[in-house]
Amino acid sequence: MADRLLLFGGTFDPIHHGHLIAATTAAEWMGAARIVLIPSGRPPHKPAAGITPGAHRLAMCRAAVQGDPRFSVCDFEVEAPGASYTILTVRHYRSVHPPSRELLWLIGLDALRDLGSWREAAALVDLCTIVTAARPGYAAPDWNTLRPVFREEQLARLAANIVETPRVEIDATALRRRAALGQSLRYFVPQAVEQYVRDHGLYQTKTGG
Ligand code: ATP
């Protein structure tokens, strides 16, 4: 049995059932017994202002998966100085895990279309297995736009690791808006996350939308 670890990075502001369903179904599909949630510290593609402090996003991830032995939560990006680049995080993981452990990094289809613009994108694709979560019936990316950055063999691996995950129309931006309007997050997020948002008065103003 392959020894595979699925790494899943995101802003997770807040983490919701869409994230958790995508992560668990992708892990099952890829035969990864363990999933690590990695909230980003300073996502390079999002304005820093308006993002909830990392400590809260970490705590919500921990609350979301508490008691589920498949999951752990990693503070590497939240604690690291500077912007969060996936290549730095994967290098860290590669340095602390045995070579026999295959590292998988989960992204969404939009991120795959953009992957060529990521820092050291070609090196990243060699260092870990990029797994793309796509909705049933998805349109494949235009591989020609990725050809300037990736070798054919890398493109073939990217294509082979697109996995179908259920369509769950929840997005974190809409959840922050709901909270700001005083609407409940119940059923959109795990109950412990809903409780955490309430206890800490998160998302009371319409920011970061
Ligand atoms: P925001 O609305 O704040 O931009 P987001 O949920 O789109 O939030 P992230 O928290 O960074 O952004 O998401 C982490 C990863 O989860 C991304 O790769 C994103 O594509 C994916 N993702 C987000 N929402 C869903 C969903 N409902 N189903 C599956 N994957 C999702």
Side-chain angles (χ1 to χ4, degrees), residues 131-195:
V131 176
T132 303
R135 295 157 168 186
Y138 67 92
D142 177 0
W143 296 108
N144 280 330
T145 62
L146 295 171
R147 280 213 159 79
V149 179
F150 300 107
R151 304 186 303 275
E152 288 303 316
E153 162 270 320
Q154 291 180 310
L155 293 176
R157 269 191 290 129
L158 290 171
N161 292 309
I162 298 179
V163 303
E164 286 192 358
T165 59
R167 183 188 296 268
V168 181
E169 295 290 349
I170 303 176
D171 78 85
T173 302
L175 295 186
R176 295 194 296 277
R177 289 213 188 93
R178 286 185 67 83
L181 293 169
Q183 295 168 333
S184 170
L185 300 191
R186 192 163 184 196
Y187 307 125
F188 292 94
V189 299
Q191 208 172 345
V193 174
E194 185 208 359
Q195 186 69 46

Side-chain angles (χ1 to χ4, degrees), residues 15 39 53-65 73 192-193 196 200:
I15 187 152
H56 283 313
R57 292 182 291 110
L58 262 176
M60 287 190 282
C61 286
R62 289 187 176 124
V65 298
V73 179
V193 174
Y196 188 96
H200 293 82

